[in-house]
Amino acid sequence: MNSSPSSSNPVELDTTKLPTHVAIIMDGNGRWAKKRLLNRINGHEKGSETVRTIVRTCRKIGIPYLTLYAFSTENWQRPKTEVEALMVLLKKFLQSERKEMVENNIRLRMIGQLDRLPTKVRQALDQTMTATREKTGMNLVLALSYGGRAEIVRMVQEVTEKIKRGIIEPEAVDEGLISDHLYTRDIPDPDLLIRTSGEMRISNFLLWQIAYTELFVTQTLWPDFSKEEFLQILKDFQDRVRRFGAV
Ligand code: IPE
Ligand code: IPE
Ligand code: MG
C-alpha cells in the first residue's frame, strides 16, 4: 500500500499501459462533513460531485471499466435518515447523469442486491441501464447493496442448485466457473483498487476479484479527491511491477 502522491506537476500517462479496470472504495464523506461542522449528508452530496469528476476523467483518458463502491450490504445498518438520504442522492444521480452517459457512450451497470433497493431507485437504475445498454465507450459499474461475502454465498447457491439439477458436474467447478457465477461475470478483475480517506481495509468489496489487484490507499477524503490526484495514482500504478506470483 502507498501513501498520498506528492507531485503537483502535470501527469504524463503512458496511454499504452492504462489499467483496464479501476475500482474505488469512496470513503470519507462523513469525516469531510464533520471537519466542516456539516451534516454527514452534505458530505455525501459533495462526494457525488467527485463521482462526476472521476467518471468524466476515466471516460476521457480511456479506462474501459470503473467500479464505484457506493453502498455496502453493511451500510444498511446506518441510521435510517442517512440511508434514506443516500438513496435519494443515488436516484438523483441516476436521473441527472443519464443524458450525459448516453451522449458520452457510457454504459451503466450495477453489482449487488438489486432487490433490496427502494422501488424508486430501482426504477431510475433500470431506466439508466436500459438507456445506456448499447453504449461501448466505457462501463461505469455501481456497487449498490454490494457485499463480497453475499456475492460468494449467492454464487455457491447457484452452483449447487445447478449441480443438484444435473446441469453441471461437480468436477466442472473451477475458478472460471466460479467467476462466471459472480455479479462480475462479464467484467474483468480490477487492475487497480483505490481507497480514499486512509483506512487500510477492504470492507467486503470484491473479495474474489481483487486476488492480484494493485492496492492504493490515499489519505484524501472522497469529497476532496481530485482529477489531479487520480492521474497521479494512475501514474504510480504504471510504475509498479506486477508479477502475479511469478518471478
Ligand atoms: C463513504 O463515506 C460513503 C458511503 C459509505 C456510503 P462514509 O459515509 O463512510 O464517510 P466516513 O467514513 O464516515 O468518513
Ligand atoms: C466502505 O466504506 C463502503 C463504501 C464506500 C460504500 P465504509 O465506511 O462503509 O467502511 P468501513 O465501515 O470503514 O469499513
Ligand atoms: Mg466510511
Side-chain angles (χ1 to χ4, degrees):
M1 304 242 187
N2 230 308
S3 57
S4 299
S6 53
S7 167
S8 56
N9 298 328
V11 181
E12 294 267 352
L13 286 176
D14 177 350
T15 50
T16 66
K17 273 174 66 185
L18 285 170
T20 299
H21 184 176
V22 176
I24 307 183
I25 302 174
M26 311 184 287
D27 199 16
N29 294 349
R31 276 163 280 178
W32 183 92
K34 194 173 176 198
K35 267 193 358 194
R36 287 163 180 76
L37 306 177
L38 296 169
N39 191 297
R40 292 179 59 84
I41 317 294
N42 300 122
H44 296 313
E45 282 165 0
K46 184 74 177 149
S48 72
E49 289 174 29
T50 308
V51 171
R52 215 163 279 144
T53 305
I54 299 306
V55 171
R56 283 180 187 159
T57 304
C58 284
R59 175 69 185 97
K60 196 160 172 213
I61 62 182
I63 292 176
Y65 293 86
L66 171 67
T67 299
L68 299 175
Y69 202 7
F71 196 87
S72 73
T73 46
E74 288 72 29
N75 290 151
W76 290 113
Q77 298 162 40
R78 292 192 179 195
K80 193 164 172 269
T81 47
E82 182 171 347
V83 170
E84 279 174 5
L86 279 166
M87 291 300 146
V88 168
L89 253 181
L90 179 58
K91 182 173 80 84
K92 274 195 202 154
F93 177 84
L94 292 164
Q95 290 166 339
S96 67
E97 302 310 294
R98 191 174 297 145
K99 188 161 169 272
E100 183 168 334
M101 284 190 226
V102 169
E103 285 170 1
N104 289 297
N105 201 19
I106 297 173
R107 177 177 174 190
L108 181 81
R109 310 166 74 155
M110 84 80 82
I111 56 173
Q113 303 164 319
L114 185 63
D115 56 346
R116 280 185 85 179
L117 299 174
T119 312
K120 283 194 171 147
V121 172
R122 236 161 45 212
Q123 283 169 348
L125 193 58
D126 273 345
Q127 281 173 25
T128 306
M129 288 196 297
T130 306
T132 62
R133 194 164 39 202
E134 312 284 320
K135 302 301 172 195
T136 55
M138 175 185 149
N139 292 273
L140 170 60
V141 185
L142 294 184
L144 301 172
S145 189
Y146 175 87
R149 287 187 170 183
E151 179 181 38
I152 290 170
V153 168
R154 187 179 161 278
M155 173 274 291
V156 172
Q157 286 170 343
E158 270 188 27
V159 170
T160 49
E161 181 63 25
K162 284 188 184 175
I163 291 172
K164 208 169 82 187
R165 292 206 268 130
I167 298 168
I168 52 175
E169 297 292 327
E171 299 72 36
V173 177
D174 60 9
E175 291 186 11
L177 184 126
I178 288 176
S179 294
D180 287 346
H181 288 81
L182 297 174
Y183 292 126
T184 49
R185 53 177 63 89
D186 49 359
I187 296 172
D189 289 342
D191 302 292
L192 170 64
L193 170 64
I194 301 169
R195 181 168 186 143
T196 59
S197 84
E199 241 67 77
M200 294 286 191
R201 56 177 172 252
I202 297 299
S203 301
N204 204 9
F205 193 38
L206 300 175
L207 298 179
W208 170 270
Q209 298 87 341
I210 59 169
Y212 268 103
T213 299
E214 293 294 323
L215 308 178
F216 201 107
V217 175
T218 170
Q219 296 299 320
T220 307
L221 305 175
W222 178 250
D224 290 329
F225 191 65
S226 64
K227 174 183 171 182
E228 290 68 33
E229 182 170 4
F230 181 55
L231 295 176
Q232 187 57 47
I233 292 172
L234 292 176
K235 174 87 182 88
D236 182 278
F237 167 82
Q238 295 192 326
D239 293 338
R240 291 198 190 176
V241 181
R242 300 181 79 190
R243 277 186 290 271
F244 299 98
V247 287

